[in-house]
Amino acid sequence: MNLGSSRKKGIISPSLTQQMASAYSAALRQYVTGNHFMDTFAFHSISGSEIVRRFGYPACR
């Protein structure tokens, strides 16, 4: 889901989506932008283990 977007109107707000992406780690941000995940309303999943291993987020305890 894109922050500041309207699926009904087919509008994705680039500035608000960028604001959301800025909260991601650099590696995750590069991954989602490089794969254009935030350019569409399509759902993309990333497993928790991949978030920890590949993007450096701490594991839940």
Side-chain angles (χ1 to χ4, degrees), residues 6-58:
S6 172
R7 180 183 289 270
K8 194 176 212 179
K9 294 179 181 180
I11 298 169
I12 296 173
S13 170
S15 63
L16 294 174
T17 300
Q18 180 58 40
Q19 182 181 353
M20 183 173 67
S22 71
Y24 298 166
S25 71
L28 179 57
R29 186 172 45 254
Q30 182 178 3
Y31 179 75
V32 299
T33 57
N35 287 292
H36 303 280
F37 290 169
M38 299 177 80
D39 298 343
T40 175
F41 289 104
F43 180 79
H44 304 278
S45 63
I46 304 171
S47 71
S49 61
E50 189 172 13
I51 290 288
V52 172
R53 179 184 50 78
R54 186 171 178 180
F55 303 111
Y57 285 89

